[in-house]
Amino acid sequence: MQSIQDLSWEEYSALPISRRAECLSRTDGMPLHTIFAQQFDRASLDRLCDSATKIRAIAKSRAGMQFLQGLLFHKRAMIYFTQPSSRTFLSFLSACQILGLRTGEVRDASVSSEFKGESREDSIRTFSSYFDLIVMRTREKGLAERMAWALSQSKRPVPIINAGSGKDQHPTQALLDVYTLQRSFERRGGLRNRTVVYVGDLARGRTVRSLSHLLTHYEGIRHVFVSPSALRIGDDVLADLKDAGAQFEVSDDLAAWLPEADAVYMTRIQDEWDESAGESAKIDTSRFKIGPEQMRMMRPDAILMHPLPRRDEIATEVDSDPRAMYWRQVRNGMWIRTALIASTFDCLSRIDHWFRDNL
Ligand code: NCD
């Protein structure tokens, strides 16, 4: 297999996604750069979920925290977010702190040299001179991948983790969603033979695009995409599911699917992508919200998820319902991102050993 260093951008970017996924990963199948959901298979997902659970147990004690903080105290991470974020940013910051990585951050391009006209590419090359890991969120589809390729050609091929790229991908959100689903169903037959109902702005939301792909690695998952017709899921996502042999439905009738769902995954309207002012406001989204009445239609053992931030698509009265998982998702995100960073630096077996010897 040709390695990424030997390929020009033209050659690399013309490859099918499965080959690009191989180029971005290590020979053990774990990602080196984490750019898109197609890099994960069932083994790497199980490895990360298992490591996240071990890390959260290890972190409960002072001795465990000391062990974790020693793992990567000699490394530094740049958290480079040029798109709004609170949760994902803090989640990565916390994950770095748990592993002892020191961090730098740029959250606003107007205070960086980009304001003087520097390209994103040049900024990222600069970060790679100072840091050992770059976690980046950007409005630009494909930029994280292009930078992963560019850094692979350089003398310091530091890993990149995509923390959200345009309307396209959000692989670490998808990891935390899978981890949440797996934990929610682990004592009830596991994450298999489940109906997952995705709701909201499926045309422009990146979380569902990444999550639906990860769920193709779990047996018998039926995907149901519920949205107003103007915000329908992309045909490329459906083609991806078809290729994977997954079962899926597209609907605009939330009420019809609520009683069938094992998990309802709500998303907000992504109006920052509107092409004309007020475009989203013209869409009738009233039938795509969850309140107490919709919760009564859901099964008692179903779960309700949301990547957050929410607006009014889930009423706050629902928060105290034991089926509401969105605050747990936030916490799970910190642990699975800690596992991903530890994996990026090949520390998972040290975590296994400490767990085995001490817990
Ligand atoms: C999501 C995102 O940025 O795509 N937020 C997050 O990372 N939890 C969802 C959203 O912004 O709606």
Side-chain angles (χ1 to χ4, degrees):
M1 190 186 83
Q2 257 181 317
S3 92
I4 191 166
Q5 293 96 298
D6 307 325
L7 297 169
S8 68
W9 172 250
E10 286 66 33
E11 289 165 334
Y12 167 82
S13 57
L15 294 172
I17 195 155
S18 55
R19 281 280 293 113
R20 278 158 38 223
E22 282 169 24
C23 287
L24 297 168
S25 298
R26 293 194 307 243
T27 47
D28 65 357
M30 301 303 282
L32 171 60
H33 302 283
T34 300
I35 306 298
F36 42 70
Q38 285 76 358
Q39 285 176 261
F40 294 92
D41 58 12
R42 182 59 190 269
S44 53
L45 291 170
D46 285 349
R47 184 85 177 107
L48 287 174
C49 290
D50 172 65
S51 302
T53 299
K54 286 180 176 147
I55 290 168
R56 76 199 296 162
I58 294 172
K60 284 195 197 326
S61 72
R62 188 183 162 83
M65 259 325 251
Q66 260 165 352
F67 159 73
L68 291 170
Q69 300 218 330
L71 283 175
L72 292 173
F73 86 104
H74 56 308
K75 300 286 183 191
R76 292 185 300 276
M78 168 48 106
I79 310 183
Y80 175 58
F81 274 40
T82 54
Q83 241 194 335
S85 172
S86 34
R87 249 160 308 273
T88 308
F89 180 84
L90 290 174
S91 181
F92 272 110
L93 185 68
S94 305
C96 287
Q97 288 170 347
I98 291 167
L99 293 168
L101 277 114
R102 274 153 295 172
T103 54
E105 63 187 71
V106 169
R107 302 196 62 180
D108 178 359
S110 73
V111 298
S112 83
S113 277
E114 279 174 37
F115 193 67
K116 300 191 216 161
E118 181 166 68
S119 69
R120 293 258 152 101
E121 282 84 346
D122 283 2
S123 298
I124 293 164
R125 272 182 189 263
T126 306
F127 302 151
S128 74
S129 311
Y130 300 122
F131 294 96
D132 306 292
L133 168 70
I134 298 171
V135 180
M136 63 184 280
R137 166 172 285 201
T138 152
R139 249 185 96 81
E140 264 177 79
K141 174 181 172 179
L143 181 64
E145 186 171 11
R146 204 161 74 235
M147 292 325 303
W149 170 83
L151 292 179
S152 301
Q153 319 296 311
S154 75
K155 290 227 158 36
R156 276 184 55 76
V158 310
I160 291 200
I161 297 179
N162 176 8
S165 54
K167 289 182 261 186
D168 188 38
Q169 285 264 354
H170 197 347
T172 65
Q173 176 70 43
L175 289 175
L176 79 89
D177 294 334
V178 161
Y179 185 44
T180 303
L181 284 158
Q182 197 235 57
R183 285 176 73 80
S184 301
F185 296 121
E186 72 185 343
R187 285 193 201 88
R188 307 191 252 139
L191 178 49
R192 68 169 69 85
N193 304 330
R194 305 282 171 185
T195 297
V196 180
V197 178
Y198 312 93
V199 187
D201 189 343
L202 307 183
R204 301 176 293 184
R206 54 195 172 192
T207 62
V208 168
R209 296 175 62 80
S210 295
L211 174 59
S212 59
H213 182 81
L214 289 194
L215 288 177
T216 62
H217 298 299
Y218 296 82
E219 201 186 308
I221 302 294
R222 176 166 61 159
H223 307 254
V224 183
F225 299 95
V226 178
S227 69
S229 61
L231 302 174
R232 192 178 180 275
I233 190 74
D235 288 335
D236 60 334
V237 174
L238 301 180
D240 180 58
L241 295 180
K242 204 163 167 218
D243 283 350
Q247 240 188 300
F248 59 84
E249 313 276 347
V250 176
S251 167
D252 62 359
D253 189 351
L254 178 59
W257 283 103
L258 283 177
E260 300 267 329
D262 292 291
V264 175
Y265 189 96
M266 298 298 294
T267 65
R268 76 177 167 89
I269 303 304
Q270 311 272 318
D271 50 11
E272 66 270 37
W273 297 103
D274 280 1
E275 277 159 21
S276 59
E279 185 187 322
S280 295
K282 295 194 193 106
I283 301 170
D284 179 9
T285 55
S286 56
R287 291 184 302 111
F288 302 91
K289 295 184 190 202
I290 298 279
E293 190 191 326
Q294 287 72 26
M295 291 306 281
R296 281 193 289 277
M297 295 164 76
M298 279 169 60
R299 292 215 304 261
D301 59 352
I303 62 168
L304 178 65
M305 300 172 70
H306 195 305
L308 302 177
R310 79 173 142 186
R311 289 185 183 162
D312 61 353
E313 57 279 350
I314 300 181
T316 49
E317 296 107 284
V318 171
D319 293 2
S320 54
D321 190 299
R323 293 170 292 176
M325 286 294 146
Y326 25 98
W327 301 110
R328 281 200 214 168
Q329 281 170 267
V330 175
R331 187 109 179 126
N332 287 340
M334 178 176 80
W335 298 120
I336 199 95
R337 288 182 172 117
T338 307
L340 179 68
I341 294 171
S343 162
T344 302
F345 290 102
D346 213 3
C347 293
L348 295 187
S349 48
R350 289 182 64 194
I351 291 169
D352 291 338
H353 292 150
W354 202 93
F355 184 84
R356 188 196 58 206
D357 296 343
N358 296 279
L359 292 176

